[in-house]
Amino acid sequence: MRRALRAGGAVAAAVAGGWLPGPALAHSFGQVYNLPVPVWLYLYGAAAALALSFLVIGYFVTVGRVGVASRTLDLGASALAHAARRLAVIPVLRAVAVAGLLLCIVTGLFGTPNPYGNFNMTFFWIVFALGFTYLTALAGDLYAAINPWRTLADGIEGLFRGYARGRFHYPKRLGHWPALVLYMAFIWLELFGGVGPFSLAVVLAAYTGLNLGGVWLVGASAWFRYCEFFGLFFRLIARMAPVDYLPRRDDPDGRGRLRLRPPFVGLLQARAPDLSVLVFVLFMLSSTAFDGLHETVVWRKLFFVDLYHWGLREWVGANPFAAYPQMSRLFGWWQTFWLLASPFLYLAVYLGFIALTKWAGRSELTVAELARRFTLPLLPIALVYHVTHYYTLIQTQGVKIVTLASDPLGRGWDLFGTGDWLQRTIIPDAGTVWHVQVGLIVLGHIVSVYLAHLEALRTFPDHRRATLSQLPMLGLMVLFTTVGLWILSQPIQG
Amino acid sequence: MNKPALTFIVLGVAVLAGLFVWLRPDDPASATSRVPAAEEAATAPEFEIHRFRVEDGARVAGPAVIEIGAGDAVTLMVTSDRADELHVHGYDLHADLRPGEAATLSFKAEHAGRFEIELHGAHLGLATLEVRPR
């Protein structure tokens, strides 16, 4: 929300003196009040992740083959499902989603420019982008049924038959790359776009136009499968949910699905179809890690002190006062570069470990095939990264949607009588936050290690090779987890 | 649940508990105090007044980070050359600044966390208040 305005003269002296320029760029998600995790808790989390990983391996060695828990409970014919159909829950939610989208655009265009006073910032960034993600992890892929852009496309199709059929065949070799590109643009906007209520409305309107144009071009089913990135994001998150929901129209059998299953087993019921989904999953990990890292003292020092003294000084000039404006411009590019490069960096590391996995397990499968098979088991780590970084925002800012709903434009209205609720921010207790963060990261890690081992038992011909293959995999996951914890423990640039 | 699974869950809990006992500092308060983020971020004694001066939309005097413990009293004294509004995030405290006049804002920092202190008019992140839990 606030751009790098903290520059000024004092800053330059800082570059020389070790005091760092610190625009603690509050990202669009809002203000996080968390303190860095204390060192001992960081060490605890890392040690626990490592020790428990070996216990998981020990467990598999002891019991031999473990079947994937596949018990499910079909709810499609239950009283609950009948009631939902009778009350037209899905059609109502589709209407609500479209109304929410339009309201975000309208409030952004005509409401207050104050990000905390406008309905759209809190509704889009916190309630939708964070809250709905966590809801999806619990309740399944509701988004597939209520995607507002899909509803709009259906509406247009109703008026102009043939619109949603598409003009061109979607080129298969594009895979899910368009979704990745859009996801990257979204995260870039979130971190560096300096998005306010008005610009958010413009972006949402543009994204609506893009979706409707995309549907016209390649047809609704290809567009929403390969290009609309929220769809892919929620589809991946929903694989971890204990509710397996598939809307009727997305089911090749035309029946739809509503089943209960053990949490996370959905990740073993499918595999990443191609490399683009692997990079998408890695970007879920790396973008959250980058978001945490780019606010830390270490990260800023690396650029403004180390890189400056190491080489940039020759280029921007030895006088730090004069060099500062250029340094901050370069820093912007530097940050964008690392954000966009981060999933490919992770990919290189991941493929390295997969090659080791192949070698340790003496697998005949190619590295690419193995990489595809072990993609989805990474998702629990990605989810807990995400939750630990952002969940407090739901408590501090998300709940204010109750207040904002009464006054969406920030004009002092009180439509529902909730306009003066929750005036004080509920600040989460720092100790609780730390323990939740470390606890969730260790939990996500263990789930990932466990799932990867189950996948190994399916992939490798015998038990011994499966176990050996999981030693490098364990190294990879301990690396991801420790990096995540380390970032949480780093002092943030003031 | 099968027997090995149960055994390993018990083992896992034992490992977690053992590590916790081993790594947890005896005095949690001391473990949470870290090296100050910036050199000028001195640990302030209670009731110290943190003075800031703002000129041309930039901070020319005052600390970048104020580090205190939960429950401490904080007093901010801000002088700006332009009219502005001082805002402490989280605590949601506001004070009006008149050009050239020092405005003070005193409160008890009961909640632990990192809080931005901001000047709304200048869009200036004035400082960060870091309140450590006790």
Side-chain angles (χ1 to χ4, degrees):
Chain A
M1 272 161 226
R2 195 178 339 99
R3 303 300 296 144
L5 289 163
R6 214 185 283 184
V11 162
V15 176
W19 184 94
L20 295 165
L25 284 175
H27 47 58
S28 305
F29 281 168
Q31 295 270 346
V32 178
Y33 303 127
N34 298 346
L35 286 167
V37 166
V39 174
W40 76 268
L41 253 180
Y42 154 62
L43 292 174
Y44 173 79
L50 187 66
L52 293 185
S53 306
F54 279 104
L55 276 186
V56 171
I57 290 201
Y59 171 70
F60 280 106
V61 169
T62 315
V63 298
R65 262 184 196 279
V66 180
V68 179
S70 55
R71 265 173 303 165
T72 56
L73 181 63
D74 201 321
L75 295 179
S78 68
L80 195 75
H82 279 301
R85 268 193 287 273
R86 212 173 37 247
L87 295 171
V89 169
I90 294 296
V92 168
L93 287 178
R94 292 184 83 182
V96 168
V98 172
L101 172 65
L102 297 181
L103 188 61
C104 280
I105 295 175
V106 169
T107 52
L109 293 180
F110 304 108
T112 171
N114 172 5
Y116 297 99
N118 198 309
F119 174 84
N120 77 346
M121 293 292 278
T122 299
F123 187 76
F124 179 76
W125 292 112
I126 316 276
V127 175
F128 173 67
L130 301 181
F132 197 76
T133 303
Y134 308 149
L135 180 72
T136 300
L138 294 172
D141 196 5
L142 193 57
Y143 185 78
I146 69 169
N147 181 342
W149 293 289
R150 193 152 190 185
T151 307
L152 288 175
D154 288 348
I156 296 176
E157 167 72 16
L159 294 174
F160 307 97
R161 290 252 155 251
Y163 151 79
R165 254 202 322 266
R167 300 291 160 279
F168 302 97
H169 264 293
Y170 182 78
K172 278 283 171 319
R173 73 203 142 81
L174 277 183
H176 296 73
W177 294 110
L180 176 71
V181 170
L182 289 171
Y183 184 30
M184 285 179 152
F186 169 74
I187 296 291
W188 186 89
L189 270 180
E190 189 252 308
L191 297 182
F192 306 123
V195 179
F198 186 84
S199 41
L200 175 60
V202 172
V203 168
L204 285 175
Y207 190 56
T208 304
L210 180 72
N211 275 313
L212 298 179
V215 169
W216 180 81
L217 213 59
V218 298
S221 67
W223 178 263
F224 288 109
R225 171 187 272 271
Y226 297 110
C227 308
E228 204 276 300
F229 76 98
F230 284 120
L232 178 57
F233 180 83
F234 289 125
R235 212 150 59 229
L236 288 167
I237 294 285
R239 291 227 147 262
M240 292 178 269
V243 180
D244 180 13
Y245 171 66
L246 185 70
R248 202 173 302 164
R249 70 161 161 216
D250 291 343
D251 188 352
D253 301 337
R255 282 201 307 260
R257 257 200 329 261
L258 181 62
R259 289 192 300 219
L260 279 182
R261 64 184 172 197
F264 300 107
V265 301
L267 297 174
L268 293 171
Q269 289 160 350
R271 282 171 177 156
D274 54 40
L275 181 69
S276 59
V277 173
L278 167 60
V279 180
F280 194 96
V281 169
L282 291 174
F283 189 61
M284 286 165 82
L285 271 171
S286 73
S287 63
T288 315
F290 178 83
D291 184 12
L293 182 67
H294 92 290
E295 294 185 322
T296 62
V297 175
V298 182
W299 176 252
R300 277 163 201 275
K301 245 190 181 137
L302 179 73
F303 184 82
F304 282 99
V305 178
D306 299 341
L307 214 60
Y308 177 75
H309 286 295
W310 179 69
L312 282 180
R313 188 165 44 179
E314 317 298 318
W315 200 23
V316 297
N319 178 357
F321 285 88
Y324 182 73
Q326 205 183 345
M327 282 291 282
S328 11
R329 234 182 349 265
L330 284 174
F331 188 54
W333 287 105
W334 167 261
Q335 301 240 73
T336 298
F337 169 77
W338 282 112
L339 174 67
L340 302 185
S342 64
F344 300 101
L345 192 73
Y346 273 49
L347 181 66
V349 172
Y350 177 75
L351 291 179
F353 275 95
I354 287 291
L356 283 176
T357 298
K358 175 177 157 70
W359 172 78
R362 310 255 180 288
S363 176
E364 262 119 57
L365 297 169
T366 60
V367 168
E369 173 61 20
L370 286 171
R372 205 171 69 80
R373 292 191 180 199
F374 287 99
T375 300
L376 295 189
L378 294 175
L379 278 166
I381 295 183
L383 177 68
V384 294
Y385 258 41
H386 196 280
V387 175
T388 51
H389 272 90
Y390 303 119
Y391 89 94
T392 52
L393 278 166
I394 297 196
Q395 190 179 344
T396 53
Q397 187 61 34
V399 294
K400 300 218 166 153
I401 201 66
V402 177
T403 321
L404 290 165
S406 270
D407 184 18
L409 297 171
R411 294 192 181 166
W413 297 351
D414 194 0
L415 298 176
F416 307 110
T418 58
D420 57 353
W421 289 19
L422 300 163
Q423 290 300 307
R424 288 194 73 91
T425 302
I426 310 156
I427 299 163
D429 175 67
T432 311
V433 172
W434 290 337
H435 286 86
V436 168
Q437 286 178 324
V438 173
L440 278 177
I441 286 204
V442 172
L443 181 74
H445 173 85
I446 292 310
V447 172
S448 281
V449 169
Y450 187 84
L451 292 175
H453 210 122
L454 286 176
E455 179 59 59
L457 288 173
R458 295 198 300 200
T459 290
F460 294 93
D462 63 68
H463 193 232
R464 204 180 94 82
R465 285 205 251 174
T467 305
L468 288 175
S469 80
Q470 287 312 284
L471 292 173
M473 185 56 71
L474 190 152
L476 173 76
M477 290 186 175
V478 168
L479 182 69
F480 280 158
T481 296
T482 313
V483 166
L485 279 169
W486 179 79
I487 290 171
L488 281 179
S489 76
Q490 281 306 300
I492 298 165
Q493 181 66 49
Chain B
M1 185 163 292
N2 56 25
K3 211 175 137 202
L6 209 61
T7 317
F8 274 91
I9 286 174
V10 170
L11 268 175
V13 172
V15 166
L16 287 177
L19 279 171
F20 192 78
V21 171
W22 181 44
L23 287 170
R24 195 171 64 118
D26 301 327
D27 173 18
S30 75
T32 57
S33 58
R34 295 170 295 99
V35 184
E39 273 175 19
E40 54 192 288
T43 323
E46 264 190 81
F47 304 117
E48 192 195 326
I49 297 174
H50 303 278
R51 289 188 173 79
F52 294 91
R53 218 170 69 245
V54 177
E55 281 168 19
D56 254 355
R59 172 169 54 94
V60 292
V65 180
I66 301 171
E67 282 199 70
I68 55 166
D72 288 356
V74 193
T75 299
L76 308 173
M77 186 185 274
V78 183
T79 317
S80 167
D81 58 348
R82 287 177 214 156
D84 213 317
E85 190 193 6
L86 177 70
H87 180 204
V88 181
H89 281 263
Y91 286 84
D92 273 337
L93 300 169
H94 298 262
D96 283 325
L97 305 181
R98 267 176 285 187
E101 267 179 51
T104 53
L105 188 62
S106 298
F107 59 99
K108 202 168 165 204
E110 270 159 9
H111 302 285
R114 296 185 86 253
F115 308 96
E116 291 281 311
I117 302 170
E118 195 186 8
L119 291 196
H120 274 169
H123 287 289
L124 171 71
L126 186 66
T128 307
L129 176 67
E130 286 203 7
V131 186
R132 293 183 310 274
R134 291 245 187 246

